[in-house]
Amino acid sequence: LQDVGLWLEEINLGSYRQAFEENGVNGEYLESLSMFTTEQILRFIRRCHMKWGDFITLCKELRRIKVACLKGEQQVRRPWWAPSCLSVVFVRVAKRNRQSRVVSLKLEA
């Protein structure tokens, strides 16, 4: 939770630090955000009192971490700017299902 709070400060969303801590939002929770339904996303936004623009910023930063973790050719590495609480989860997921995610990212581009 502390790493998430520090990361929020780095991406200029530090005003949500207390709300995230109170709601137990950790790295694994943020990683699973991409699989949330619309209702779950709206519930998360209401619970943390987030503005839509700030939620979009949060999602873009999470995407940057995921992409950075998948970019290594031979080895998935933690990007220097990613807090360990998030990048460890993304690296683990990337190692488990690397090829299909890389193909998916290429199709999205």
Side-chain angles (χ1 to χ4, degrees):
L1 290 177
Q2 290 177 346
D3 285 346
V4 170
L6 292 173
W7 177 66
L8 288 172
E9 296 285 341
E10 288 178 19
I11 63 170
N12 298 319
L13 295 177
S15 60
Y16 298 105
R17 186 176 188 162
Q18 185 176 355
F20 275 46
E21 288 175 4
E22 289 172 359
N23 290 292
V25 177
N26 59 18
E28 288 194 39
Y29 183 89
L30 290 174
E31 195 277 332
S32 67
L33 201 60
S34 63
M35 297 182 290
F36 277 18
T37 63
T38 304
E39 182 180 315
Q40 290 171 313
I41 289 171
L42 291 173
R43 197 175 313 129
F44 168 78
I45 290 170
R46 274 193 305 265
R47 200 171 59 219
C48 294
H49 307 287
M50 288 191 90
K51 297 176 184 173
W52 270 108
D54 292 341
F55 179 73
I56 299 299
T57 299
L58 177 77
C59 291
K60 285 181 180 179
E61 292 298 324
L62 288 170
R63 177 83 172 154
R64 278 186 31 183
I65 293 172
K66 286 183 180 183
V67 169
C69 288
L70 290 169
K71 275 192 173 177
E73 290 295 321
Q74 298 296 321
Q75 180 181 6
V76 178
R77 292 180 298 280
R78 179 173 83 87
W80 65 268
W81 46 266
S84 59
C85 65
L86 294 173
S87 58
V88 167
V89 173
F90 294 142
V91 167
R92 186 173 54 226
V93 170
K95 283 181 179 177
R96 188 175 344 122
N97 199 2
R98 182 175 171 74
Q99 288 185 335
S100 64
R101 284 183 174 249
V102 170
V103 169
S104 170
L105 286 172
K106 287 180 180 175
L107 292 175
E108 290 175 19

